């Protein structure tokens, strides 16, 4: 399961200081129990934390950017895209900000992993 996590999940998620911070940090994820864990993996858009909701920003120059807002620094919004790239956008440059209760995690992520590997991943995550 740990190997599956490292190859399939660690680009976006972190456990014990290892991995990326594009998605939620997962220390203690096992305390959610198997039902909630399966829901989070198989239906990532069902319960998206407000901090990880997808934003589509339309800028005054016609550019459209998509990602989640990592934070704000004064008059600047820090937007992170699915590849983990941060962009700093001046609030004054934003014509429209549409927030969607959607995750950057692919909705079919659970189906992208072979069943045995998926089972190993879930078992390992439940021990965290």
């Amino acid at each position: 399961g740990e190997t599956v996590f490292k190859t399939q999940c660690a680009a976006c998620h972190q456990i014990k200081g290892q991995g990326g911070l594009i998605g939620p940090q997962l220390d203690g994820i096992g305390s959610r129990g198997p039902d909630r864990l399966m829901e989070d993996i198989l239906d990532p858009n069902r319960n998206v934390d407000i901090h990880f909701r997808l934003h589509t920003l339309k800028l005054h120059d016609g550019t459209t950017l998509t990602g989640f807002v990592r934070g704000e620094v004064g008059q600047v919004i820090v937007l992170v895209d699915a590849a983990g790239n941060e962009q700093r956008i001046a609030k004054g440059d934003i014509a429209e900000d549409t927030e969607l209760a959607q995750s950057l995690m692919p909705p079919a992520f659970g189906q992208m992993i072979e069943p045995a590997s998926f089972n190993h991943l879930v078992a390992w995550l439940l021990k965290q």
Side-chain angles (χ1 to χ4, degrees):
E2 183 175 5
T3 301
V4 178
F5 177 82
K6 286 179 180 177
T7 59
Q8 300 293 325
C9 311
C12 296
H13 297 283
Q14 188 177 98
I15 292 180
K16 298 178 184 172
Q18 300 297 309
L21 286 175
I22 296 170
Q25 188 270 348
L26 299 180
D27 285 332
I29 190 73
S31 66
R32 290 185 175 194
D35 291 341
R36 176 64 193 272
L37 181 59
M38 296 291 281
E39 178 182 295
D40 288 345
I41 296 170
L42 296 175
D43 191 4
N45 291 322
R46 184 177 291 187
N47 294 305
V48 181
D49 183 279
I50 195 165
H51 295 96
F52 295 99
R53 290 189 177 174
L54 198 60
H55 284 253
T56 298
L57 304 179
K58 292 183 182 177
L59 308 184
H60 291 294
D61 69 2
T63 304
T64 300
L65 304 170
T66 301
F68 75 87
V69 176
R70 176 160 287 161
E72 296 182 24
V73 180
Q75 291 299 309
V76 174
I77 289 179
V78 179
L79 188 77
V80 179
D81 66 18
N85 300 314
E86 283 189 4
Q87 292 183 286
R88 297 182 185 291
I89 301 107
K91 290 180 182 178
D93 291 344
I94 300 171
E96 184 179 333
D97 178 0
T98 305
E99 180 182 306
L100 303 170
Q102 289 183 314
S103 170
L104 286 174
M105 186 168 163
F109 179 77
Q111 290 81 29
M112 295 166 46
I113 302 171
E114 66 177 47
S117 294
F118 182 82
N119 291 338
H120 292 299
L121 172 65
V122 170
W124 184 78
L125 289 171
L126 286 170
K127 293 177 185 175
Q128 303 307 306

